[in-house]
Amino acid sequence: MTPLIAIEEHWMPPELAAALDGRDESLALSRFGDHEQRLTDLGAGRLATMDEQGIDVSIIALTPPGTQALPPDEAVRLSRAANDVASAAVARRPDRFRALSTLPLSAPDAAADELRRAASLGHVGTMVYGHAGRLTLDDPAYDELWATAARLRQPVFLHPQLPSDATRDALYRGFDAMTDLALATFGWGWHVGAATAALRLILRGTFDRHPDLQLILGHWGELLLFWLDRADGLARAAGLPRTVSEYVRSNVYVTSSGMLDAAKLCHVLTVTTPDRLLFSTDYPFQHPTRDEISAFLAVFPDHDRSLFTTRNAATLFNLDL
């Protein structure tokens, strides 16, 4: 039996949660039910849940917004602290954990340095979000970061985050507070924002300058893979040498994020290949049971199943299991 690797399993140190309090409304989602307790646990409780689900290895990553919503100095300090804590958790249980780093993207000049430092600690990739203040990920201020990620073979997970206030005012407000937040986050806005950030990286020529850079999108591609036939027209407008679909097939991996939906899987396989698929549960926001996971894995032919559960992640993250 090949090991089951889950690549998007969230955590949050209490010090960072305290620093973000009042700065990002999506923190409310991390405090719903028992999420806060689960997010802070990098020990016995998390391992017990993994055992219940049949997950052998979790690649842990900070829950949004990471440190990107913080002022530069604070973002640098708390990114370093979080990466040190994650490294220690992996050192305690290297048989069960790996980690994605968090980066101080509100301090662009420091982001590549922290990526290098985190990689030296053993982090197997990094997680970023679509914008830091007014800076989008395709801003030239981040080009050294993408060059560093490509050179170090550190995959970049582009995770959704709360849209800016201006975007929320224009598109996602006008209901009660909870509906406003849900519309701007898990219900719609998160996924449009992440897909747009990925498209902007493609249109900016990021993957032409850094062809070894690998991007990961959650939630079966954050809507992008369901709209590729239209997005391909953007490549002509931008004067790119390849279509958006071609960049997706060569530079983008997609993961399930706990959405164990055979219909979505079938569509994704019409636009990309089985060696671009990764398993994740989006813990603790989704926590499918072992039976639900097993039923979904049964949809795959044997060869494709081992790609999805193990081999793609082991190759992408250079895991020695």
Side-chain angles (χ1 to χ4, degrees), residues 146-147 149-151 153 205-215 242 246-247 249-253 276:
W146 308 136
R151 185 171 61 254
R153 306 283 177 164
T206 308
F207 300 104
D208 298 310
R209 294 190 303 279
H210 312 297
D212 292 330
L213 180 63
Q214 295 296 317
L215 193 70
R242 296 189 288 158
E246 288 174 298
Y247 291 102
R249 285 191 287 270
S250 63
N251 295 93
V252 177
Y253 285 78
R276 289 271 150 185

Side-chain angles (χ1 to χ4, degrees), residues 208-289:
D208 298 310
R209 294 190 303 279
H210 312 297
D212 292 330
L213 180 63
Q214 295 296 317
L215 193 70
I216 304 164
L217 293 175
H219 309 98
W220 295 113
E222 305 295 1
L223 305 180
L224 179 58
L225 272 69
F226 298 88
W227 206 247
L228 278 179
D229 56 338
R230 298 287 287 181
D232 277 339
L234 292 168
R236 293 190 299 274
L240 296 176
R242 296 189 288 158
T243 65
V244 172
S245 294
E246 288 174 298
Y247 291 102
V248 165
R249 285 191 287 270
S250 63
N251 295 93
V252 177
Y253 285 78
V254 298
T255 187
S256 53
S257 303
M259 300 168 65
L260 306 185
D261 184 333
K264 290 184 178 64
L265 168 66
C266 288
H267 177 80
V268 165
L269 286 173
T270 68
V271 294
T272 192
T273 51
D275 61 343
R276 289 271 150 185
L277 306 185
L278 301 161
F279 175 77
S280 62
T281 75
D282 202 6
Y283 181 86
F285 307 103
Q286 306 287 337
H287 32 87
T289 66

